[in-house]
């Protein structure tokens, strides 16, 4: 429940629930086949293999002293910085162009946007371009979120964009493409 080389209250509570048993997958994998946990879990068919593509943009994120302090304290980018990321027009054009290209190859695309506004705007642009896209955010009513996920699973929505709803994804084995269109410090994401 925490990042690398960290221990959080949630991790301790989870371990306590299981009578204090903490299993270190790093040690286990080294004893099994000397692979990394990621490779081990991929070889077992538990995790998918990843074909990673990094999009380069000219956008430079400048953090204020306060934002840097928040990053140092929480290891998370503050919402104010994420909103600035989402407002960059050239960056958004690059993201939309890439999603359009990906939509020709993949049937189900899950997108992690950098802010509520960014998620909504990208979904609107993609919809205007003729794609079946939907944005859901923390402000989306729960009934609409549930309906959107059902429609995505059925294939009525091809591109599901979100901000702070699926912090690490959700259970839909037929997703064949994930776009992380936001900066993140999350090891899991």
């Amino acid at each position: 429940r925490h990042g690398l080389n960290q221990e959080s209250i949630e991790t301790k509570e989870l371990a306590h629930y299981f009578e204090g048993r903490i299993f270190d997958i790093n040690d286990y994998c080294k004893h099994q086949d000397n692979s990394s946990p990621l490779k081990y879990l991929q070889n077992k068919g538990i995790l998918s293999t990843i074909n990673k593509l990094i999009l380069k943009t000219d956008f430079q994120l400048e953090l204020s002293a306060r934002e840097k302090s928040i990053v140092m304290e929480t290891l998370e980018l503050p919402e104010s910085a994420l909103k600035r990321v989402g407002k960059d027009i050239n960056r958004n054009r690059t993201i939309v162009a890439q999603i359009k290209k990906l939509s020709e190859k993949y049937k189900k695309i899950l997108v992690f946007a950098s802010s509520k506004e960014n998620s909504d705007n990208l979904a609107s642009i993609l919809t205007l371009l003729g794609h079946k896209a939907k944005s859901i955010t923390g402000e989306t009513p729960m009934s609409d979120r549930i309906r959107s996920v059902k429609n995505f699973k059925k294939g009525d929505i091809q591109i599901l964009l979100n901000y702070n709803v699926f912090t690490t994804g959700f259970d839909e084995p037929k997703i064949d493409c994930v776009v992380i269109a936001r900066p993140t410090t999350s090891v899991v994401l």
Side-chain angles (χ1 to χ4, degrees):
R1 301 287 304 161
H2 61 270
L4 292 176
N5 302 320
Q6 298 174 334
E7 195 167 295
S8 71
I9 291 171
E10 286 184 10
T11 299
K12 289 177 183 176
E13 288 172 357
L14 185 62
H16 179 73
Y17 180 80
F18 290 102
E19 299 172 359
R21 288 181 243 157
I22 296 178
F23 179 75
D24 187 338
I25 194 165
N26 291 307
D27 292 339
Y28 180 80
C29 293
K30 285 179 184 164
H31 292 341
Q32 290 298 309
D33 59 7
N34 205 26
S35 66
S36 70
L38 184 62
K39 281 289 178 207
Y40 175 79
L41 294 171
Q42 287 172 333
N43 292 340
K44 290 288 186 191
I46 296 168
L47 292 178
S48 300
T49 56
I50 299 169
N51 297 321
K52 185 166 83 171
L53 169 70
I54 298 174
L55 282 180
K56 299 282 184 192
T57 67
D58 293 334
F59 180 75
Q60 296 290 318
L61 179 60
E62 301 291 331
L63 298 177
S64 68
R66 172 81 180 116
E67 290 170 333
K68 287 177 186 176
S69 170
I70 290 170
V71 171
M72 296 303 288
E73 263 178 48
T74 66
L75 298 177
E76 301 269 337
L77 286 169
E79 197 162 322
S80 56
L82 292 171
K83 282 183 179 183
R84 286 197 312 279
V85 169
K87 289 180 180 179
D88 188 75
I89 293 169
N90 290 329
R91 184 180 178 280
N92 288 333
R93 280 189 191 128
T94 302
I95 291 167
V96 167
Q98 186 61 40
I99 293 172
K100 279 178 54 177
K101 191 184 299 183
L102 292 168
S103 71
E104 295 169 7
K105 183 176 180 183
Y106 301 110
K107 292 184 172 115
K108 290 190 179 194
I109 302 171
L110 177 63
V111 179
F112 291 87
S114 61
S115 68
K116 177 214 177 295
E117 295 80 13
N118 184 239
S119 182
D120 292 344
N121 290 339
L122 292 174
S124 295
I125 292 166
L126 290 163
T127 299
L128 285 171
L129 294 172
H131 296 278
K132 296 178 198 173
K134 177 78 174 161
S135 168
I136 57 177
T137 69
E139 295 177 21
T140 305
M142 187 57 74
S143 60
D144 193 21
R145 285 191 221 178
I146 291 168
R147 185 174 39 257
S148 296
V149 169
K150 282 182 183 176
N151 288 336
F152 182 64
K153 287 182 175 189
K154 285 191 319 188
D156 295 340
I157 296 172
Q158 179 187 17
I159 306 164
L160 186 60
L161 299 97
N162 85 100
Y163 174 69
N164 273 359
V165 175
F166 307 120
T167 54
T168 56
F170 66 101
D171 189 17
E172 172 52 285
K174 294 184 180 174
I175 292 174
D176 44 8
C177 182
V178 175
V179 175
I180 302 177
R182 56 160 291 164
T184 182
T185 59
S186 166
V187 174
V188 175
L189 189 56

